[in-house]
Amino acid sequence: MLRRKILLFLVLLGALPGARAQGPAAGRTFTNPLKANGPDPWVVRHGGYYYYTNTMGKNLTLWKSKTLEGIKDAPGAVVWTPPAAGPNSYEIWAPELHFLADKWYLYYTATDKANFSDQTRYIFVLENAGPDPTAGTWVDKGKINTRYSGLDGSVFEHQGRHYFLYSAYVGPQSVLAIAPMANPWTLDAAQETIIAQPTYAWEKGGGRQILEGPEFLAGRKGQLFVVYSASACWDDNYCLGMLTARPGADPLRADSWTKAPQPVFHPSAGNGVWGTGHNGFTTSPDGRESWIIYHAKAAADGKCEGRSTRAQRFGWNPDGTPNFGAPAALATPQAVPSGE
């Protein structure tokens, strides 16, 4: 009996190997923002690390951290600087890091410094065969062969096939398009399909009709989701919308996708959070929790500037759809991801 009491006491103290509390039980917390200046954030977990990036404008920088909150203080590694001239020489935006076929790929948006405009803005990609994307050699694989000019490229895998999502400039608006990939730097452009256009008032804020930043999310009951940013970045009500494809649907068919009539994640005046958008997703180290990373502003000022990176866990509804809740106020303590 005495031995059992001693063992129980040691477990409660966390003194035994394997008995350390995980996640919320550990009592360790962090606060947003992860980056005070962090527009268009992206994070991916791989090999026990979080790899993070955001728009820098003038280069591509990666941060590496064992913990999510460690992104705040991790040293940045500039992995690529644009050429002085050419199609990818200016306005380096919206980087995303993906590990595909045992190599790293870094997708980014750029335009030509000598002729910069939406019509000359495209998505480009770099390749790194090394195990650590913050080191090694990045090789320029060129421009992604999208049908339209555009921005905010992303990649997802579904049933053994890779797909490319992006925001395409079509007419006076930007729409969401998808295409299958022949390899990480080449699309089967003949099958590119527009799957969503701005139709609701909340997708037309700031004097523009914009759908951008599309991100894939797998549902809990076989659905496919594309979560995207709606309206102009300077609109204070910039928010997230969502497309849903039923289980078994062909993601390349426009009629496979149904748009939610209301935003699924939006600003909160009560929490002092504005301009919630350009999100990404990750999981806790133990895989038990889902997390959303996004940028937002602390002031309703009608500007794109002042966007900081925030992260928070989200839940799932009984029907397998995500429930993102409300954006947390800055400096609200949050339990660290479970398994850290």
Side-chain angles (χ1 to χ4, degrees):
M1 179 64 71
L2 178 61
R3 183 175 182 274
R4 289 178 59 190
K5 288 182 177 180
I6 292 173
L7 287 173
L8 178 60
F9 177 70
L10 290 173
V11 168
L12 291 174
L13 285 179
L16 292 181
R20 300 187 187 98
Q22 301 275 318
R28 190 160 58 86
T29 63
F30 76 99
T31 58
N32 283 317
L34 294 183
K35 290 291 181 187
N37 181 23
D40 308 331
W42 173 260
V43 67
V44 61
R45 273 195 56 80
H46 182 82
Y49 289 93
Y50 292 95
Y51 293 98
Y52 169 87
T53 187
N54 60 238
T55 290
M56 299 296 286
K58 59 184 179 181
N59 62 44
L60 296 176
T61 301
L62 299 178
W63 287 264
K64 175 182 178 181
S65 175
K66 277 284 190 180
T67 64
L68 189 62
E69 79 271 23
I71 290 170
K72 289 184 179 183
D73 301 315
V78 176
V79 298
W80 182 82
T81 301
N88 60 339
S89 58
Y90 193 57
E91 293 182 339
I92 312 303
W93 296 347
E96 284 199 11
L97 180 68
H98 294 266
F99 191 70
L100 308 170
D102 295 323
K103 293 182 180 179
W104 290 101
Y105 292 90
L106 192 49
Y107 298 86
Y108 65 96
T109 300
T111 185
D112 191 332
K113 186 182 295 185
N115 183 28
F116 57 92
S117 71
D118 289 348
Q119 286 66 50
T120 60
R121 198 180 316 280
Y122 288 95
I123 300 145
F124 300 79
V125 63
L126 307 170
E127 179 188 74
N128 189 337
D132 183 347
T134 64
T137 301
W138 285 96
V139 178
D140 188 353
K141 303 297 287 186
K143 179 172 73 72
I144 299 295
N145 59 316
T146 53
R147 183 178 302 171
Y148 307 99
S149 61
L151 70 169
D152 298 353
S154 189
V155 176
F156 72 93
E157 182 179 358
H158 176 61
Q159 295 182 343
R161 194 178 191 186
H162 286 97
Y163 297 86
F164 188 80
L165 289 166
Y166 78 109
S167 175
Y169 292 121
V170 178
Q173 59 192 3
S174 63
V175 302
L176 301 183
I178 188 173
M181 305 184 77
N183 56 50
W185 59 92
T186 310
L187 309 184
D188 182 350
Q191 296 190 63
E192 183 174 315
T193 305
I194 294 173
I195 58 173
Q197 303 178 28
T199 53
Y200 294 114
W202 51 270
E203 297 173 317
K204 303 176 183 181
R208 294 288 299 272
Q209 301 178 40
I210 294 178
L211 306 185
E212 61 185 15
E215 298 297 345
F216 170 74
L217 180 64
R220 290 296 176 92
K221 294 195 173 181
Q223 313 102 312
L224 302 180
F225 302 114
V226 171
V227 180
Y228 62 92
S229 302
S231 291
C233 69
W234 55 83
D235 183 62
D236 296 330
N237 291 310
Y238 189 66
C239 58
L240 297 182
M242 188 170 75
L243 306 177
T244 301
R246 66 186 183 281
D250 182 356
L252 294 175
R253 291 179 58 94
D255 59 6
S256 293
W257 298 96
T258 301
K259 186 192 292 183
Q262 300 293 333
V264 293
F265 193 65
H266 54 79
S268 170
N271 290 342
V273 183
W274 304 94
T276 49
H278 206 105
N279 68 289
F281 301 109
T282 189
T283 60
S284 58
D286 62 9
R288 294 167 53 193
E289 296 176 348
S290 301
W291 284 75
I292 182 172
I293 188 167
Y294 61 99
H295 72 220
K297 305 184 298 180
D301 56 8
K303 299 178 181 179
C304 284
E305 291 79 10
R307 293 171 290 173
S308 61
T309 300
R310 292 97 180 287
Q312 62 189 67
R313 58 175 52 79
F314 66 91
W316 296 87
N317 298 313
D319 64 356
T321 59
N323 186 337
F324 298 117
L330 278 181
T332 298
Q334 298 187 71
V336 301
S338 61
E340 279 195 358

